Amino acid sequence: MPVTFDNRDGVLTAAISGDLDHHTAASVREAVDRMAESSLPRELVLDFGGVGFMDSSGIGLIMGRYKLMQSMGGSVRVEHASPQLKKIMNLAGLSLLPIAIR
């Protein structure tokens, strides 16, 4: 599975690895949702340090997890995104949402 989890002190970190495209996004989404819904974190950290490529499916993954966490009263943070991935996220308008992108 291209995602591993760490759940500590109300912060659920999902470390994603490999390419995040239409082939992998659904399984990552399902795994993250399952973990978030069972642990009810106050913050979800999406660690993109291991992601080499992302298409619009990755934007959809982030947006969907943002909506999920909003419904649970939590927040989303994206960490370790490469400059190229940050550019894609900003062009897609994610910087207009209260999502910290680091």
Side-chain angles (χ1 to χ4, degrees):
M1 181 184 308
V3 61
T4 58
F5 296 98
D6 182 42
N7 189 11
R8 292 183 217 190
D9 301 322
V11 178
L12 175 63
T13 300
I16 304 166
S17 60
D19 292 344
L20 191 52
D21 56 23
H22 68 281
H23 296 292
T24 59
S27 64
V28 171
R29 180 185 70 240
E30 291 167 6
V32 172
D33 287 357
R34 194 170 36 254
M35 284 295 293
E37 289 169 349
S38 67
S39 63
L40 301 174
R42 70 177 189 285
E43 183 176 36
L44 172 63
V45 176
L46 298 173
D47 185 340
F48 274 65
V51 177
F53 170 82
M54 179 180 78
D55 65 11
S56 61
S57 300
I59 298 300
L61 176 90
I62 297 168
M63 289 292 299
R65 299 327 41 103
Y66 166 73
K67 291 178 182 177
L68 173 67
M69 290 304 295
Q70 287 291 340
S71 73
M72 296 176 7
S75 62
V76 172
R77 181 176 64 202
V78 176
E79 289 192 345
H80 304 118
S82 70
Q84 296 86 355
L85 295 181
K86 286 180 186 176
K87 183 176 181 179
I88 292 168
M89 292 174 196
N90 289 328
L91 288 171
L94 293 182
S95 59
L96 301 174
L97 298 172
I99 298 174
I101 301 173
R102 301 181 183 149

